[in-house]
C-alpha cells in the first residue's frame, strides 16, 4: 500500500528567517491560508520567543487555520516553551510544539558548552515541561547529520520516553550526501529505543544543492515526515523545496510508492504568493515552478511536444495548477467572471475587500486591453495583504533631465490628519525616484535605509503594469513593500509608501 508522507511546511519559520524573506503579519496569514489549501499536514508558523511580533502572528494563524496542525518552534528553555504555548493555546486544530537542541560534537562543545549527558538531560526536562501543555511534541536534534549516530539514537530514545511524538533528523548545514543520509536515517530508526512509538522526520538544507535528493533518500529509508519550504526559501542556500519533493513522489510513484496529501494543483498559486510577499523571485529554471519549467523553446522540442506531450514533459503544467488557455478578462468582463478567476487563482478575498479589488480591476481594464492573471494577482494581493495605511499618496510629479538633474514633489496624507493639513515637499535627488523618496522621508520624519529596489513588468506587452518591490530597514527590522501601476514612477512611490506603512504598523504595535 502507498505510504503517506507528512509534509511539515516551514516557509513561515525557516523560510521567513532567511535574509530578505521577511513578511508582515498580514502576509503571513495569506501564506498560511494558501498552505492550508495546499493541504500541508503541519505548518510551522514561527518562533514565538524570538519576538513579540512572531508570537502574535503564530497566535493569529493558530486561531484561523483549521485543516493543518500549527506548530511553533522553541529552544529547550522554559521561557521559549511558555511563549510557544501562549501563541498556540488558542489553536483551532490541535497544535504542535517543536523543540530543538544541538547534538553534534562541534555544536555541543563550542555553542552549547555542554556534555552529551547534559544535552540529554536538558532535552528531556524541556520535553517533559512542554508535555504539560501540549500532547504533540516534536524534538529536533540540530546538526544531526554531523552527530554521532549512536548518540542520536540515545537522545531520541530518551526524548520518546519523555513524551516526544515526532523526532527529527536535521541536516542543518546541508552537508550530507543522499546515500549517506538515507543510511543515517535507517540506522537511527532501527537503533532508537521505542522507535515504534514515534514518527521520524527529516529537515534538510540545500548548501550542496542536495536537499531534495537527501529528503527523498530519507523517505526511501522509511521516515514518515519531511520538512520543507515553498520555493525552497530558507537560511543560506535554502531548505528542501516542498513542491519538488511532492512532485518527485507523484511523478515517480510507481517506483517509490509514497505520496502526500498535497493538492498539487495549488502549488503554482502558493509559489507565486510566497514570491510576491517576500519579494524573492523564483529563478526561471527552477524545477516545477520556474517560468521556464514548462517552456519549450527549441524547435525540435516543440515539434516533439506537439506530436505527443510526453516526449519532453514528465508532468503537465495543469498538475501544478498552471492554467491552460483561460478566457481573457478585459473591460467587458463582469463581476461573476472576475470572482471565478480569483477563485481559480486561489485568491480568497473577503467580502469587504472584494468591492475594492473589483473596482481596481475595472479601472485597470479601462487602461489596458487585456488584464492578465498576474495583473489580477497583483491587484488582489495589494488589497488583501495590505496593512492599515498610515500614509496615503495624494499627488506626485517629477522633473528630470540629463543637464538639470532631477527633482520631485510629493503630497501624502497621514491617516489622522485634520482636513486642510497639507504635507507636500519638493526635493532634489539623484534621479526622480531618489528625490521623491527623500521628500517622503522628510515628511514622515524617519530615514529608513533602502535595502532593495526592484522593478519588473507584470506582462510583456507595451501597456504592461510596472511592479516594484522595495525592502527597507529601520531599527534593525526589515519591511517589504509592493507597488503596481502603469506608470513606473507611481509604482515606485506606491511600493515605498507600502513599505513605510508596514514599518509604521509594526512600530505602533510595540509597547
Ligand atoms: O536547520 C535546523 O536544524 C533547524 C532546526 C530548528 C530544526 O531549522
Ligand atoms: Zn533549518
Amino acid at each position: 500500500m502507498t505510504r503517506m508522507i507528512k509534509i511539515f511546511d516551514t516557509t513561515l519559520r525557516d523560510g521567513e528567517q532567511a535574509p530578505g524573506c521577511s513578511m508582515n503579519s498580514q502576509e503571513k496569514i495569506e501564506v498560511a491560508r494558501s498552505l492550508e489549501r495546499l493541504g500541508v499536514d503541519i505548518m510551522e508558523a514561527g518562533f514565538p520567543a524570538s519576538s513579540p511580533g512572531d508570537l502574535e502572528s503564530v497566535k493569529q494563524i493558530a486561531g484561523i487555520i483549521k485543516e493543518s496542525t500549527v506548530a511553533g518552534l522553541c529552544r529547550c528553555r522554559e521561557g521559549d516553551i511558555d511563549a510557544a504555548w501562549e501563541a498556540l493555546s488558542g489553536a483551532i486544530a490541535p497544535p504542535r510544539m517543536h523543540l530543538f537542541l544541538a547534538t553534534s560534537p562541534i555544536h555541543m562543545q563550542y555553542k552549547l558548552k555542554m556534555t552529551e549527558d547534559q544535552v540529554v538531560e536538558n532535552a528531556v526536562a524541556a520535553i517533559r515541561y512542554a508535555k504539560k501543555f501540549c500532547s504533540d511534541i516534536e524534538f529536533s536534534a540540530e546538526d544531526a547529520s554531523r552527530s554521532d549516530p549512536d548518540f542520536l539514537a540515545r537522545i531520541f530514545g530518551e526524548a520518546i520516553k519523555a513524551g516526544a511524538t515526532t523526532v527529527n533528523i536535521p541536516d542543518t548545514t546541508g552537508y550530507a550526501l543522499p546515500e549517506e543520509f538515507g543510511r543515517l536515517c535507517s540506522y537511527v530508526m532501527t537503533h532508537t529505543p521505542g522507535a515504534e512509538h514515534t514518527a521520524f522526520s527529516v529537515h534538510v538544507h540545500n548548501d550542496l544543492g542536495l536537499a531534495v535528493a537527501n529528503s527523498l533518500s530519507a523517505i526511501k529509508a522509511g521516515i514518515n515526515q519531511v520538512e520543507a519550504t515553498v520555493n525552497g526559501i530558507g537560511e543560506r542556500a535554502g531548505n528542501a523545496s516542498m513542491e519538488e519533493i511532492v512532485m518527485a513522489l507523484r511523478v515517480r510513484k510507481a517506483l517509490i510508492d509514497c505520496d502526500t496529501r498535497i493538492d498539487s494543483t495549488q502549488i503554482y498559486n502558493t509559489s507565486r504568493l510566497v514570491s510576491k510577499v517576500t519579494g524573492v523571485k523564483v529563478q526561471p529554471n527552477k524545477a516545477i515552478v520556474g517560468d521556464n519549467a514548462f517552456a519549450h523553446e527549441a524547435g525540435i522540442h516543440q515539434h516533439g511536444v506537439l506530436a505527443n506531450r510526453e516526449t519532453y514533459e514528465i508532468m503537465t503544467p495543469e498538475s501544478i495548477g498552471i492554467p491552460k488557455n483561460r478566457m481573457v478578462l478585459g473591460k467587458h468582463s463582469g463581476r461573476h467572471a472576475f470572482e471565478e478567476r480569483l477563485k481559480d487563482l486561489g485568491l480568497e478575498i473577503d467580502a469587504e475587500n472584494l468591492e475594492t479589488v473589483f473596482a481596481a480591476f475595472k479601472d485597470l481594464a479601462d487602461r489596458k486591453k487585456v488584464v492578465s492573471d498576474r495583473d489580477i494577482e497583483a491587484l488582489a494581493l495589494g488589497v488583501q495583504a495590505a496593512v492599515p495605511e498610515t500614509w496615503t499618496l495624494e499627488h506626485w510629479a517629477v522633473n528630470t533631465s540629463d543637464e538639470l538633474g532631477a527633482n520631485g514633489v510629493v503630497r501624502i496624507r497621514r491617516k489622522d490628519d485634520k482636513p486642510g493639513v497639507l504635507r507636500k515637499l519638493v526635493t532634489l535627488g539623484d534621479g526622480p525616484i531618489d528625490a521623491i523618496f527623500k521628500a517622503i522621508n522628510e515628511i514622515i520624519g524617519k530615514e529608513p535605509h533602502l535595502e532593495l529596489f526592484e522593478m519588473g513588468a507584470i506582462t510583456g506587452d507595451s501597456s504592461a503594469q510596472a511592479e516594484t518591490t522595495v525592502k527597507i530597514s529601520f531599527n534593525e527590522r526589515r519591511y517589504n513593500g509592493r507597488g503596481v501601476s502603469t506608470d513606473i514612477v507611481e509604482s515606485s512611490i506606491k511600493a515605498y509608501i507600502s513599505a513605510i506603512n508596514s514599518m509604521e504598523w509594526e512600530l505602533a504595535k510595540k509597547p
Side-chain angles (χ1 to χ4, degrees), residues 279-295:
V280 176
K281 296 224 164 14
V282 173
Q283 77 195 53
N285 59 332
K286 158 96 174 59
I288 318 294
V289 290
D291 275 351
N292 296 348
F294 294 93

Side-chain angles (χ1 to χ4, degrees), residues 92 95 109 135 158 202 207 269 373 387 483:
I92 298 178
Q109 183 180 348
S135 61
E158 295 301 326
V202 291
D207 299 65
N269 289 337
D373 286 350
V387 298

Side-chain angles (χ1 to χ4, degrees), residues 13-14 203 205 239:
R13 199 277 299 171
D14 224 353
H203 170 113
H205 281 267
N239 289 57

